Amino acid sequence: MASLSEEVLLVVKKVRQRKQDGTLYLMAERIAWGPEGKDRFTVSHLYSDIRCQKISPDGKAKIQLQLVLHTGDSTTFHFANESTALKDRDAAKELLQQLLPKFKKKANKELEEKNRMLQEDPVLFQLYKDLVVSQVISAEEFWANRLGGVNNGEPAPYNNKQEVGISGAFLADIRPQTDGCNGLRYNLTADIIESIFRTYPAVKQKYSENVPHNLTEKEFWTRFFQSHYFHRDRINTGSQDIFSECAKQDEKGLKSLVTQGVKNPLVDLLSLEDKTLDEGYGISKALPSTSNANKSVKESSNSAIIKRFNHHSAMVLAAGSRKGDPPTDQASETSSTDGNSRDSDFFQPPLKKVKLQEAIEYEDLQRENTPKTVALNLKKSDRYAHGPVPLQSQQYTTSQDIINSVSYIQQEMTNYKPNLTRVLSSTTATSAIAALSPGGVLMQPVGQQSINQMVPTDIQGELKHLYIAAGELLRHFWSCFPVNTPFLEEKVTKMKTNLERFQMTKLRPFQEKVQRQYLSTNLTGHLEDMFQKAYSKFHIWQTRRMMRKT
Amino acid sequence: MKLNIEGLLVYFPYDYIYPEQYSYMLELKRTLDAKGHGVLEMPSGTGKTISLLSLIVAYQRAFPLDVTKLIYCSRTVPEIEKVVEELRKLMEFYAKETGEANNFLALSLSSRKNLCIHPEVSSLRFGKEVDGKCHSLTASYIRAQRHSNPNLPVCRFYEEFDAVGRQVPLPAGIYNLDDLKDFGRRKGWCPYYLARYAILHANIVVYSYHYLLDPKIADLVSKELAKKSVVVFDEAHNIDNVCIDSMSVNITRRTLDRCQNNVDTLQNTIHKIKETDAAKLREEYRRLVEGLKEANVARETDIYLANPVLPDEVLQEAVPGSIRTAEHFVGFLRRFLEYLKARLRVQHVVQESAPQFLKDIFDKVCIDRKPLRFCAERLQSLLRTLEIADIADFSAVTLISNFATLVSTYSKGFTIIIEPFEDRTPTIANPVLHFSCMDPSIAIKPVFQRFQSVVITSGTLSPLDIYPRILDFRPVTMASFTMTLARTCLCPLIVGRGNDQVALSSKFETREDFAVIRNYGNLLLEMSAVVPDGIVAFFTSYVYMENIVASWYEQGILENIQKNKLIFIETQDAAETSMALEKYQEACENGRGAILLSVARGKVSEGIDFVHHFGRAVIMFGVPYVYTQSRILKARLEYLRDQFQIRENDFLTFDAMRHAAQCVGRAIRGKTDYGLMIFADKRYARSDKRGKLPRWIQEHINDGSLNLTVDEAVQLSKHFLRQMAQPFRQEDQLGLSLLTLEQLQSEEMLQKISQMAHQT
């Protein structure tokens, strides 16, 4: 056995994997399987690599357990012990259920983060492929200073991804299915559980209080679905229900929401009426009965449903925006905590004013008051594209100068006498004009532009990748200077070898390829230069270090 | 732009104008010229308010002696504030164009709750509490007591106002509620009393209906407003109900118990005062003998707005001897109270007229009609004399005395219904005496009589002729304007069948039918998948909505809807509904989309607008008939039939359709807005229902969309929404539904506009 120090939590015999009998071991940090009669594991997965486990439905003849890894691979174990197969499987499943979440939290966060970054950033992904997959540098090195931001807790620029809200109907997705013998089965996925927790924080609290000390996860959810809380329309019977407290908390939350009042005065029904009729006056419109006693059971359950829908929608809405705008939340809290209406008075008018103005606005009656935009009319678009040209010291001419010069030219023209002896012959003149007109020899487009057409696109793309990868490596290299710690010293030498390796494995083949295609232009000249610069810097540093040592 | 409305120069604070605004102003001008009343219907979102204000302000400036004041009544506080803001815009435009400072005083008035700046009082949540607390600080005798005992609490804002506030008139300007508060804070004056005082000399007053229609408040606030005022009731489609509400009284056992306590307190106070200050009571007696002459003189010289609770005859007489002394009056109240208690001890429903009631009360406890009529006035006098601090505590006895006066004054237009229990719960005794007004014209009559022009306007007043009939007045102009549109931005669809051909209807017989409920659910579900952003659905009643929601829940329809949009539901609790509303708007705003389930006749349907993406579709489930089994309603219908020759069914349909129109109209708030209006009931297809919708909705219902299935409606909606999603610019409207000054002045357009006004 490889590591004897490992604690084995569960051993299940007669487990088949790929039609081979064997034994399944659940250890503290990994799950492993070895074929019968051999003392090594052919399958071994760290818990942190496992994304989830799946089990075969109860009715199936084969009793199986499948592990899905983060990489997407999966391993299936078939429990073959006829008499105890189901029990074995459940034991393994239960244990995994407890173990997996523990590892999930710490390990996956990082892994997921990396995964996400790679998925979101194609350039980074390419770089990863170029450098890590081709083993120029190791994965740790690659991530070392990329993940820094993430681990430090400060949100990386990629991190401000929009929060995904919760579907309004997530409870509807949990369709109960009859299992054939007078029972109901609910299928919960991690998403649904997440949704429930985010929408109903009270349930989450209950969960963390009770699971796994008092209840197993399964029991918890069973109770949840049985509870009055889930079926709010049913009449509450038992007070031992752990969710009755949740219901109370929700009620409280709802009440506080209601008492907090609304910010928009135009929807505040309480202050809509200016002067209500005094008690006793008016045509009584079904006077609200003073006691709830004469409300029938059905009615009160109906109103409970209505309440529940309002609450549910409000919670879903709040869950969506909870993380989005904490500052506004805070603002509303501060204004509500000092409960004094004096203060809220001062907060109120601006919003009220705005809302009133909005309400009386007739946008189509007004002349559109957006500032009139002038269409851009460019006579020389290249000047626009190149931006301002640095002012050259040139002499500006006043209008007087111009007039003077015009009259001077006029004068010259009148006195002009062609010097016929020094004139070009007509043939030379036409050829010169032809050379200077568009399409002529002297009017050929400049060579640089044609590089676009000369080099095929796949080479261009490859070159681009090379540049990015080389840039990344060089960045690592240069970031080591000034070298003042032993760690950096080590790194800089390593980076130099990395550079060399890159030159050998990536740049050279590319150069050869370019040559094979007879592309005359020296495409990689600049890259080479950059490498040479780095090497010379390294040599300078190295010779200096040698000198210092001697 | 500057407009010429039949020779009147009108400043209009926009660069463009809708043709219907121009023709609305024409009609309004004619109404004012004739010094008569008018009924004008113009769709919401076509700038009704600004047209009204522009014309009337111009009129006031041109003929300052003919029209001295504009009294603008609206329904809700936000509406009032909106009107003032529009006015501010107009006045700014005037200042800019004419270059002279604005000399108009315009202000809004609201209850103390919205105006109080006293730190303690204003922190109270309910209007009634604020009123009571304010009264306990500012009543005249409280302040008189403070002379002897300076330790009593005081409202410094009121004191300051009382000391100096009346001498200097409020400087000209536009004062919204917040501006009044700011001004009050700066000066240290009470904004509420300042506003109440300032409305007497203001050019424009904006306040709520109640200040004019509720006799209890009108008597305090609006009594002295000038006769040469123009009164505008905006959003007046429900004005008859406001009138009726203000004149109706309900008496329960609890009221009587509280009243009993009040009477006991009165008795004790009288005893105490008798021992200490008998002169006060003697003084009161003397005053009562002299009679209510003062008020009578005022009314004859046309200074006061008449109070329907205080009929003319009462003023000419002195308070009858039997209730002149305080003890006698308290004894009288006791007897009346006992009688009412006895009447509430019934086992079956009783309905009787006012004369029958008077005869019965005379037979049983020998109370005459005459002292009853003076009851309200006498109680006021007594409360003043006894220096009762907290009037709010005496609301029960005030209610009873008002009832006494009303029942003895009006022999017609009222009915008394005593119900021993609620219909739904026949086992629980909860006797109620309803004294209900059936004639809205009683409350509004003084307004029509006193003011030279009263304009009733709203987005939905169809059919126009019914309002003059039920309010009993003769208008000089009646007109309904439609919305000129460059693109058809509203799409009314009548969905009469489900996909399985089951007829959709909310009528009583099929109300519980699962097939109907399921099809309604399908309609909402399919719409939720098609319509972007917000959908508002209205049900006919709260109970109906609860039942439907419950069975949708059981059938899993709601869950499927939740996949498309979030669901919010109106509840009977206003605070909860406000929260739901705000969340609804938030969900529309952030793009998730939401559905609001609401109730016709509810608060949402009356006061909340769903502009643009807040309401891209309104679905009206069923026809919102009023609960027809109510005895009060039956009595009212009977009265309408006998007095005004309005058939029961006509009135019920009219009432249902005006509410339906209100509901669906919530979604269209302007020409750049667009929305679907789905009437989900096959009865809407009938011409008697359809014909009662406002013209601007009616004219867009074509024969093809009268009896659609759910699928067909979805197809049409898709098509409509796709068209509406195209960019819509100002240029598209110009010349058709939006005019420049030059276009407006062209001969052809003027002719078109004049035709538009004559169509009614």
Side-chain angles (χ1 to χ4, degrees):
Chain A
M1 288 273 153
S3 49
L4 289 167
S5 57
E6 272 184 285
E7 180 191 1
V8 178
L9 299 172
L10 184 73
V11 180
V12 186
K13 288 192 175 154
K14 288 204 177 172
V15 178
R16 309 182 80 174
Q17 206 259 334
R18 299 214 176 147
K19 312 242 160 137
Q20 244 190 324
D21 274 327
T23 312
L24 184 72
Y25 297 88
L26 271 82
M27 280 161 291
E29 291 194 335
R30 58 179 185 148
I31 184 167
W33 178 87
E36 209 153 330
K38 291 188 181 147
D39 60 349
R40 62 181 177 81
F41 298 133
T42 49
V43 177
S44 167
H45 298 304
L46 288 175
Y47 291 136
S48 51
D49 290 340
I50 299 173
R51 187 196 289 160
C52 64
Q53 58 168 337
K54 288 179 181 171
I55 55 169
S56 56
D58 281 348
K60 277 267 181 85
K62 274 187 181 177
I63 293 166
Q64 290 178 320
L65 180 98
Q66 190 184 40
L67 300 176
V68 183
L69 305 184
H70 286 294
T71 51
D73 302 338
S74 65
T75 315
T76 311
F77 299 107
H78 177 197
F79 292 80
N81 195 344
E82 286 121 34
S83 52
T84 59
L86 193 64
K87 228 172 75 190
D88 287 349
R89 200 267 317 265
D90 284 348
K93 186 197 80 179
E94 287 287 329
L95 192 58
L96 274 176
Q97 211 163 48
Q98 288 177 26
L99 289 170
L100 287 182
K102 283 185 206 162
F103 290 92
K104 215 175 203 166
K105 271 172 208 152
K106 59 177 181 197
N108 292 355
K109 214 169 139 199
E110 212 172 285
L111 203 68
E112 268 170 28
E113 183 65 20
K114 287 177 186 169
N115 215 347
R116 192 182 56 75
M117 280 168 77
L118 286 182
Q119 269 172 12
E120 277 178 5
D121 192 347
V123 178
L124 192 71
F125 188 52
Q126 183 63 41
L127 201 61
Y128 187 82
K129 275 204 293 197
D130 283 345
L131 297 179
V132 180
V133 178
S134 62
Q135 300 191 329
V136 174
I137 57 175
S138 71
E140 279 93 56
E141 268 177 310
F142 180 79
W143 288 114
N145 58 0
R146 300 236 156 242
L147 273 177
V150 181
N151 289 340
N152 289 344
E154 79 186 59
Y158 315 99
N159 218 3
N160 49 17
K161 187 176 136 192
Q162 197 176 8
E163 189 84 13
V164 179
I166 294 172
S167 154
F170 67 82
L171 285 179
D173 292 338
I174 324 169
R175 287 247 158 259
Q177 298 161 336
T178 46
D179 61 356
C181 50
N182 237 353
L184 288 173
R185 280 168 49 85
Y186 290 93
N187 279 326
L188 277 176
T189 65
D191 278 347
I192 293 177
I193 292 176
E194 166 80 8
S195 298
I196 293 175
F197 283 166
R198 272 174 69 188
T199 320
Y200 299 107
V203 176
K204 185 173 188 178
Q205 199 193 334
K206 280 283 153 204
Y207 179 84
S208 52
E209 273 171 19
N210 287 312
V211 180
H213 333 298
N214 300 338
L215 302 166
T216 64
E217 189 161 9
K218 189 178 168 188
E219 277 173 341
F220 179 84
W221 290 115
T222 313
R223 290 218 195 165
F224 177 75
F225 288 118
Q226 282 169 349
S227 74
H228 154 72
Y229 187 65
F230 184 62
H231 301 280
R232 197 74 70 74
D233 49 317
R234 288 186 196 156
I235 298 313
N236 194 4
T237 44
S239 57
Q240 75 274 38
D241 183 358
I242 55 165
F243 293 104
S244 57
E245 207 175 304
C246 293
K248 269 180 215 148
Q249 267 185 30
D250 279 354
E251 201 95 320
K252 233 199 256 165
L254 192 65
K255 268 211 187 104
S256 76
L257 269 182
V258 167
T259 46
Q260 210 172 312
V262 292
K263 291 187 209 95
N264 180 355
L266 295 190
V267 298
D268 190 358
L269 295 172
L270 286 175
S271 62
L272 217 53
E273 291 277 324
D274 185 23
K275 183 99 188 174
T276 46
L277 286 170
D278 288 335
E279 195 185 346
Y281 294 95
I283 300 278
S284 63
K285 287 173 197 148
L287 284 166
S289 9
T290 41
S291 66
N292 281 337
N294 54 4
K295 263 193 173 177
S296 70
V297 171
K298 187 160 175 274
E299 271 171 39
S300 64
S301 91
N302 283 356
S303 63
I305 292 177
I306 287 178
K307 263 211 175 107
R308 179 180 161 193
F309 271 102
N310 277 341
H311 182 244
H312 175 80
S313 301
M315 292 306 274
V316 167
L317 203 59
S321 61
R322 202 167 286 149
K323 279 174 193 155
D325 47 3
T328 55
D329 265 6
Q330 223 160 22
S332 74
E333 253 167 51
T334 46
S335 69
S336 69
T337 40
D338 54 19
N340 194 346
S341 75
R342 282 264 63 71
D343 287 78
S344 58
D345 242 23
F346 287 114
F347 286 112
Q348 215 183 12
L351 179 69
K352 193 170 160 186
K353 269 254 154 68
V354 169
K355 292 278 174 195
L356 278 177
Q357 284 302 333
E358 256 171 41
I360 64 164
E361 191 91 10
Y362 287 99
E363 59 209 359
D364 47 348
L365 283 182
Q366 262 142 347
R367 214 175 278 282
E368 277 161 74
N369 46 7
T370 48
K372 273 241 163 85
T373 50
V374 182
L376 194 59
N377 187 9
L378 292 175
K379 292 216 171 66
K380 285 183 184 166
S381 57
D382 54 331
R383 276 192 66 180
Y384 178 75
H386 289 309
V389 187
L391 192 67
Q392 273 150 14
S393 59
Q394 61 182 19
Q395 287 192 331
Y396 285 95
T397 44
T398 61
S399 50
Q400 190 56 48
D401 288 342
I402 294 171
I403 294 167
N404 287 346
S405 56
V406 167
S407 62
Y408 179 73
I409 289 173
Q410 267 172 350
Q411 222 172 8
E412 285 283 286
M413 288 306 282
T414 49
N415 302 332
Y416 172 68
K417 284 207 181 80
N419 187 353
L420 288 173
T421 52
R422 299 180 67 183
V423 145
L424 288 178
S425 71
S426 61
T427 45
T428 347
T430 29
S431 71
I433 287 171
L436 280 168
S437 30
V441 183
L442 291 175
M443 295 301 280
Q444 288 269 305
V446 198
Q448 264 200 343
Q449 271 186 341
S450 62
I451 213 162
N452 261 342
Q453 293 118 36
M454 275 165 64
V455 180
T457 41
D458 57 327
I459 300 267
Q460 279 182 40
E462 216 173 311
L463 186 65
K464 209 187 272 172
H465 289 314
L466 276 177
Y467 258 103
I468 292 170
E472 176 68 17
L473 282 175
L474 287 165
R475 192 173 66 80
H476 276 282
F477 174 81
W478 287 108
S479 70
C480 298
F481 292 96
V483 186
N484 41 21
T485 61
F487 170 72
L488 280 177
E489 270 175 35
E490 195 184 320
K491 190 177 175 187
V492 83
T493 29
K494 206 162 64 194
M495 285 324 293
K496 199 234 163 188
T497 50
N498 281 344
L499 282 174
E500 279 166 352
R501 202 184 307 150
F502 181 81
Q503 215 178 355
M504 288 311 293
T505 55
K506 291 266 165 181
L507 201 56
R508 282 287 143 69
F510 180 73
Q511 277 168 330
E512 278 158 24
K513 189 176 167 192
V514 170
Q515 266 164 15
R516 243 180 289 131
Q517 296 194 357
Y518 307 109
L519 293 170
S520 58
T521 348
N522 185 9
L523 289 174
T524 52
H526 177 243
L527 269 175
E528 295 272 8
D529 279 354
M530 292 204 295
F531 280 110
Q532 286 312 324
K533 271 271 152 54
Y535 293 153
S536 61
K537 173 78 185 171
F538 183 75
H539 285 303
I540 293 168
W541 172 74
Q542 213 170 24
T543 45
R544 257 194 216 147
R545 199 175 60 141
M546 289 303 188
M547 273 159 67
R548 218 176 296 147
K549 270 188 180 167
T550 51
Chain B
M1 62 167 81
K2 286 185 229 174
L3 302 169
N4 174 6
I5 309 276
E6 288 186 347
L8 181 72
L9 173 67
V10 175
Y11 285 86
F12 189 73
Y14 291 100
D15 304 313
Y16 301 95
I17 188 168
Y18 299 139
E20 55 269 34
Q21 285 181 316
Y22 182 77
S23 98
Y24 186 88
M25 288 197 243
L26 276 179
E27 286 300 315
L28 189 61
K29 162 104 184 349
R30 284 173 197 156
T31 317
L32 298 187
D33 281 342
K35 296 196 194 318
H37 311 314
V39 182
L40 302 173
E41 178 188 53
M42 184 156 91
S44 44
T46 48
K48 199 172 7 149
T49 310
I50 194 66
S51 319
L52 256 170
L53 292 173
S54 308
L55 189 99
I56 297 179
V57 167
Y59 206 92
Q60 266 181 293
R61 290 170 69 99
F63 310 103
L65 295 176
D66 287 350
V67 172
T68 53
K69 195 189 282 288
L70 163 63
I71 305 171
Y72 196 109
C73 303
S74 197
R75 230 174 18 174
T76 62
V77 179
E79 296 279 351
I80 290 170
E81 294 192 288
K82 271 192 243 172
V83 173
V84 180
E85 287 309 315
E86 297 216 34
L87 188 61
R88 192 194 307 281
K89 191 166 201 170
L90 177 65
M91 286 307 174
E92 275 163 12
F93 183 69
Y94 260 103
K96 207 177 89 193
E97 289 292 308
T98 57
E100 57 196 60
N102 165 32
N103 53 358
F104 256 60
L105 175 62
L107 73 151
S108 52
L109 174 64
S110 179
S111 56
R112 289 182 178 87
K113 188 182 140 225
N114 295 322
L115 280 175
C116 185
I117 53 171
H118 189 277
E120 276 169 49
V121 180
S122 62
S123 62
L124 295 169
R125 278 192 74 190
F126 297 102
K128 222 176 281 173
E129 290 171 358
V130 176
D131 288 350
K133 185 89 181 161
C134 178
H135 194 264
S136 71
L137 289 175
T138 57
S140 54
Y141 42 86
I142 300 278
R143 297 174 60 231
Q145 278 173 24
R146 202 172 299 119
H147 288 304
S148 52
N149 180 8
N151 291 333
L152 285 172
V154 56
C155 172
R156 62 190 166 88
F157 299 104
Y158 182 78
E159 295 299 327
E160 190 70 17
F161 167 71
D162 197 49
V164 288
R166 274 182 249 269
Q167 288 146 18
V168 205
L170 193 63
I174 316 293
Y175 295 89
N176 214 336
L177 297 178
D178 288 330
D179 304 320
L180 280 171
K181 276 161 116 176
D182 281 347
F183 186 79
R185 280 203 192 98
R186 262 205 320 277
K187 293 267 183 183
W189 296 348
C190 170
Y192 174 73
Y193 282 100
L194 176 69
R196 262 182 61 176
Y197 176 71
I199 61 170
L200 297 179
H201 60 264
N203 300 86
I204 299 172
V205 180
V206 186
Y207 57 29
S208 102
Y209 282 15
H210 301 284
Y211 289 98
L212 220 46
L213 293 182
D214 190 339
K216 298 177 286 295
I217 313 173
D219 201 36
L220 284 174
V221 178
S222 312
K223 199 157 67 170
E224 294 170 61
L225 292 182
K227 187 173 160 49
K228 283 182 179 171
S229 304
V230 175
V231 178
V232 175
F233 289 106
D234 198 359
E235 305 284 327
H237 45 271
N238 261 345
I239 195 167
D240 52 326
N241 290 335
V242 178
C243 293
I244 283 177
D245 271 344
S246 69
M247 298 290 281
S248 299
V249 174
N250 301 300
I251 297 169
T252 61
R253 212 173 250 169
R254 202 167 138 256
T255 326
L256 291 182
D257 289 343
R258 284 177 50 216
C259 188
Q260 183 76 50
N261 288 339
N262 290 163
V263 172
D264 289 344
T265 327
L266 283 178
Q267 179 101 50
N268 292 339
T269 329
I270 289 170
H271 269 299
K272 246 184 267 165
I273 286 195
K274 218 169 184 184
E275 285 161 14
T276 57
D277 197 2
K280 210 182 262 173
L281 287 175
R282 275 202 299 279
E283 162 65 18
E284 188 203 18
Y285 184 84
R286 195 189 54 73
R287 220 171 44 227
L288 291 174
V289 175
E290 263 178 34
L292 303 157
K293 281 218 183 77
E294 231 173 276
N296 188 31
V297 169
R299 187 174 294 185
E300 270 174 1
T301 51
D302 210 14
I303 296 171
Y304 285 172
L305 174 69
N307 181 352
V309 187
L310 201 66
D312 281 339
E313 305 90 82
V314 176
L315 300 176
Q316 281 147 25
E317 298 171 47
V319 172
S322 56
I323 57 169
R324 230 175 262 167
T325 66
E327 291 109 321
H328 288 175
F329 179 58
V330 172
F332 171 84
L333 275 181
R334 262 183 210 286
R335 238 178 327 145
F336 184 54
L337 201 56
E338 285 310 316
Y339 171 75
L340 287 180
K341 277 187 185 164
R343 287 305 302 268
L344 279 188
R345 258 178 250 126
V346 286
Q347 298 302 318
H348 54 93
V349 179
V350 178
Q351 177 172 6
E352 60 188 18
S353 66
Q356 275 171 318
F357 182 84
L358 288 178
K359 183 172 182 307
D360 190 56
I361 197 171
F362 184 72
D363 291 346
K364 295 253 174 68
V365 287
C366 295
I367 289 183
D368 217 349
R369 179 164 173 242
K370 199 171 164 197
L372 272 180
R373 290 176 80 174
F374 285 91
C375 215
E377 202 52 35
R378 181 68 189 87
L379 181 73
Q380 289 312 315
S381 158
L382 184 67
L383 289 177
R384 271 197 300 272
T385 316
L386 297 184
E387 301 181 348
I388 303 289
D390 200 350
I391 292 275
D393 284 349
F394 285 83
S395 62
V397 71
T398 318
L399 180 78
I400 298 288
S401 66
N402 276 341
F403 164 64
T405 304
L406 282 172
V407 77
S408 50
T409 306
Y410 294 98
S411 56
K412 253 176 57 181
F414 287 86
T415 189
I416 296 166
I417 295 169
I418 307 172
E419 286 177 324
F421 45 74
E422 277 178 53
D423 277 347
R424 287 188 304 152
T425 53
T427 46
I428 301 159
N430 180 23
V432 185
L433 184 149
H434 300 284
F435 176 69
S436 71
C437 175
M438 296 179 298
D439 190 348
S441 68
I442 292 173
I444 204 171
K445 201 172 183 184
V447 178
F448 281 123
Q449 280 178 346
R450 176 162 176 79
F451 299 109
Q452 68 178 24
S453 280
V454 178
V455 178
I456 288 182
T457 186
S458 171
T460 51
L461 280 177
S462 296
L464 284 179
D465 56 331
I466 207 159
Y467 285 90
R469 271 157 84 188
I470 56 177
L471 297 179
D472 194 23
F473 72 103
R474 208 154 284 137
V476 293
T477 46
M478 274 207 283
S480 168
F481 305 91
T482 145
M483 183 153 35
T484 52
L485 292 171
R487 58 164 189 183
T488 326
C489 69
L490 64 167
C491 177
L493 301 172
I494 297 174
V495 181
R497 293 166 293 153
N499 288 337
D500 47 4
Q501 303 302 322
V502 172
L504 290 182
S505 175
S506 69
K507 69 177 178 215
F508 192 72
E509 296 80 48
T510 61
R511 181 165 280 205
E512 306 282 311
D513 189 350
F514 268 113
V516 173
I517 294 178
R518 190 188 60 236
N519 276 312
Y520 273 158
N522 272 340
L523 175 63
L524 187 61
L525 175 60
E526 306 249 326
M527 281 300 162
S528 72
V530 177
V531 178
D533 300 322
I535 300 180
V536 192
F538 289 99
F539 294 86
T540 54
S541 74
Y542 197 79
V543 181
Y544 187 52
M545 177 172 81
E546 269 193 347
N547 286 336
I548 285 203
V549 166
S551 61
W552 282 353
Y553 175 68
E554 277 158 23
Q555 295 171 14
I557 293 174
L558 285 183
E559 287 180 348
N560 287 326
I561 293 174
Q562 273 184 321
K563 284 183 186 155
N564 299 326
K565 288 179 192 301
L566 292 179
I567 300 177
F568 294 96
I569 308 172
E570 179 178 0
T571 67
Q572 273 162 328
D573 180 275
E576 230 174 279
T577 310
S578 307
M579 203 263 310
L581 253 176
E582 196 178 49
K583 296 282 174 200
Y584 167 80
Q585 294 201 338
E586 195 185 325
C588 292
E589 202 80 76
N590 73 10
R592 192 185 263 276
I595 292 178
L596 183 72
L597 304 181
S598 178
V599 175
R601 295 165 194 280
K603 281 207 165 114
V604 173
S605 73
E606 287 287 321
I608 307 293
D609 289 344
F610 297 99
V611 290
H612 295 292
H613 59 286
F614 293 134
R616 283 299 178 210
V618 181
I619 307 177
M620 184 72 235
F621 289 114
V623 185
Y625 278 113
V626 66
Y627 174 61
T628 48
Q629 298 307 303
S630 134
R631 292 187 184 83
I632 300 172
L633 180 75
K634 280 181 179 160
R636 186 171 171 203
L637 290 176
E638 229 165 76
Y639 185 82
L640 284 172
R641 191 189 57 207
D642 296 346
Q643 295 299 316
F644 301 117
Q645 287 76 48
I646 297 172
R647 276 182 299 157
E648 284 108 325
N649 258 333
D650 278 352
F651 181 77
L652 286 175
T653 313
F654 151 73
D655 186 61
M657 294 314 286
R658 71 172 159 182
H659 279 104
Q662 262 307 301
C663 291
V664 296
R666 296 277 122 197
I668 303 283
R669 275 356 225 184
K671 294 185 178 186
T672 52
D673 201 354
Y674 63 88
L676 287 159
M677 300 174 164
I678 297 171
F679 298 91
D681 194 310
K682 76 170 181 358
R683 291 175 290 176
Y684 282 110
R686 290 188 207 148
S687 65
D688 67 316
K689 309 277 186 309
R690 206 157 29 110
K692 288 195 171 68
L693 283 173
R695 211 155 61 93
W696 59 277
I697 297 179
Q698 226 183 99
E699 65 187 8
H700 294 289
I701 305 180
N702 47 12
D703 289 341
S705 56
L706 281 184
N707 190 16
L708 302 167
T709 64
V710 172
D711 271 353
E712 286 162 351
V714 169
Q715 285 312 317
L716 285 173
S717 310
K718 271 186 188 163
H719 181 70
F720 170 76
L721 289 167
R722 210 164 290 150
Q723 267 185 335
M724 286 301 115
Q726 304 309 314
F728 184 60
R729 285 154 315 167
Q730 205 169 38
E731 296 89 80
D732 302 334
Q733 282 202 66
L734 265 180
L736 286 165
S737 58
L738 190 69
L739 304 176
T740 59
L741 189 58
E742 296 83 61
Q743 283 169 329
L744 183 67
Q745 280 160 345
S746 75
E747 200 61 38
E748 184 191 2
M749 188 51 78
L750 285 176
Q751 203 162 12
K752 226 192 233 170
I753 289 172
S754 62
Q755 268 173 8
M756 197 160 76
H758 283 303
Q759 271 168 6
T760 45

